[in-house]
Amino acid sequence: MYLRDGVDEAQIRVRLDGMRIEHRDLDDAIAALILLPVPDQLQIARLKKRKLRLRDEIAACEDILVPDIIA
C-alpha cells in the first residue's frame, strides 16, 4: 500500500523498526556513560538530543501509518 508521496507502507515500517532499535541502543549507551567514574556530560547530552530527534521521527512515521480520524 502506498501512502504520501508514493512511499510504501512496508518501507515506513522497516524504517520505524530501525529507529526503535536505535532508540533502545541510545538508552543503553546513555546508561553506560552515566555509570562511568567521570561521565562525559557533553556526549551524554548529544546522545539525549539524538534520542529526542528519533522519538519525533518515530512519532511522525506512526502518524503516517495511523492517521488521526476525527469522529
Side-chain angles (χ1 to χ4, degrees):
M1 175 174 150
Y2 286 96
L3 304 170
R4 291 186 218 162
D5 302 324
V7 176
D8 187 350
E9 180 180 344
Q11 291 173 321
I12 293 174
R13 290 191 186 282
V14 167
R15 174 73 179 129
L16 193 53
D17 289 341
M19 287 188 296
R20 287 180 177 146
I21 290 168
E22 185 178 353
H23 193 269
R24 281 191 301 269
D25 290 346
L26 285 170
D27 269 338
D28 294 340
I30 291 166
L33 284 172
I34 289 172
L35 293 176
L36 291 175
V38 180
D40 183 348
Q41 295 300 325
L42 183 59
Q43 184 65 18
I44 292 170
R46 287 178 179 151
L47 292 177
K48 285 182 177 182
K49 281 184 182 182
R50 175 66 184 146
K51 188 176 161 194
L52 287 173
R53 281 193 301 270
L54 268 175
R55 184 190 67 190
D56 291 344
E57 289 179 40
I58 289 169
C61 285
E62 288 172 342
D63 286 346
I64 291 170
L65 293 176
V66 184
D68 290 336
I69 299 174
I70 300 173

